[in-house]
C-alpha cells in the first residue's frame, strides 16, 4: 500500500479528534517521518544550505509543472538560527517529465496527478489533486521533507459541527501562510 504511514497517522488523528474534541486545540508541530530518498538531499553552499529535490512526473501539463517548481522554490527560502549562527536555506527543484505510460524509476521522488480533489504527500511522492492552489505544492513539499500538518480537524459537540483549527501564519497549517524559520530549521535538521 502506497500511503501506509499517512493513513495510519490520519486514522489515529481522526479517531482521537472525534473521541476527544479537546485534542484539536493547542499547537501542532512535529514530523511525520525522517526523509530517506536519494532524490532529496541537503547540500552546503556559501552562507547556508540548499535542499535539492529531483522529481519524476507523468504529468504532461508544462504550466502545472512550472507552477509546482516555482511554488516550492519561492516558498522554501529564507533563514533560520542554529547554534548561534544564521543559516540561509533555499530549495532547488528539478522535475523530469516522463513520456506518457512510462514507468517511474525505482525509488524515485515522484509528482503525480491525484484523480481526487485532495492533494497529499508521502515520503517519496506528491499527489496533486484538482483543488490545486499555488501554495499547495509548497505545503506538500514540506511533508516530503518530513514536516507534519499543523492544522487539526475534529468534531465540536457543542456546535454539532466539524471544525478546523489553523495557524494562518504557517504554510503547514494554511495555504495563506508562509514557510517560517522554524520550518526551515526543522527541514535542515531532518535532512
Amino acid at each position: 500500500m502506497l500511503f501506509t504511514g499517512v493513513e495510519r497517522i490520519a486514522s489515529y488523528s481522526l479517531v482521537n479528534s472525534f473521541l476527544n474534541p479537546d485534542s484539536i486545540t493547542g499547537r501542532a508541530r512535529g514530523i511525520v517521518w525522517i526523509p530517506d530518498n536519494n532524490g532529496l538531499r541537503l547540500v552546503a553552499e556559501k552562507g547556508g544550505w540548499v535542499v535539492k529535490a529531483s522529481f519524476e512526473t507523468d504529468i504532461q501539463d508544462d504550466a502545472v509543472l512550472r507552477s509546482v517548481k516555482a511554488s516550492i522554490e519561492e516558498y522554501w527560502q529564507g533563514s533560520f538560527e542554529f547554534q548561534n549562527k544564521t543559516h540561509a536555506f533555499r530549495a532547488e527543484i528539478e522535475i523530469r517529465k516522463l513520456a506518457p505510460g512510462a514507468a517511474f524509476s525505482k525509488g524515485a521522488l515522484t509528482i503525480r496527478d491525484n484523480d481526487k480533489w485532495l492533494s497529499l504527500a508521502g515520503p517519496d511522492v506528491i499527489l496533486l489533486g484538482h483543488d490545486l492552489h499555488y501554495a499547495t505544492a509548497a505545503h506538500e513539499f514540506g511533508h516530503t521533507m518530513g514536516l507534519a500538518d499543523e492544522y487539526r480537524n475534529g468534531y465540536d459537540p457543542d456546535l454539532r459541527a466539524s471544525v478546523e483549527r489553523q495557524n494562518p501564519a504557517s504554510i503547514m497549517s494554511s495555504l495563506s501562510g508562509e514557510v517560517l524559520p522554524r520550518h526551515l530549521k526543522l527541514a535542515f535538521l531532518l535532512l
Side-chain angles (χ1 to χ4, degrees), residues 70-172:
S71 171
I72 295 169
E73 291 180 346
E74 178 183 321
Y75 277 89
W76 285 95
Q77 62 176 318
S79 62
F80 63 93
E81 299 292 322
F82 181 67
Q83 296 181 337
N84 298 318
K85 185 177 175 189
T86 301
H87 298 266
F89 187 99
R90 67 183 184 89
E92 188 176 291
I93 305 303
E94 174 193 351
I95 303 173
R96 186 168 64 91
K97 185 167 53 170
L98 302 176
F104 291 100
S105 302
K106 184 177 177 162
L109 278 178
T110 63
I111 299 173
R112 303 176 191 209
D113 180 36
N114 186 4
D115 61 356
K116 311 283 189 261
W117 61 271
L118 183 67
S119 293
L120 58 136
D124 300 326
V125 64
I126 294 175
L127 287 175
L128 299 176
H130 296 180
D131 67 337
L132 197 57
H133 178 281
Y134 183 71
T136 299
H139 172 89
E140 300 304 342
F141 184 68
H143 292 316
T144 301
M145 293 189 293
L147 281 71
D149 282 322
E150 295 178 358
Y151 57 83
R152 291 289 180 251
N153 297 311
Y155 181 78
D156 186 327
D158 295 331
L159 296 175
R160 292 184 171 187
S162 178
V163 294
E164 183 173 274
R165 306 281 191 241
Q166 290 185 335
N167 172 0
S170 168
I171 189 72
M172 298 311 294

Side-chain angles (χ1 to χ4, degrees), residues 16-38:
N16 189 41
S17 296
F18 282 90
L19 292 178
N20 179 11
D22 293 333
S23 71
I24 64 172
T25 63
R27 295 180 354 178
R29 296 183 186 163
I31 63 171
V32 287
W33 45 68
I34 304 295
D36 183 24
N37 187 295
N38 292 334

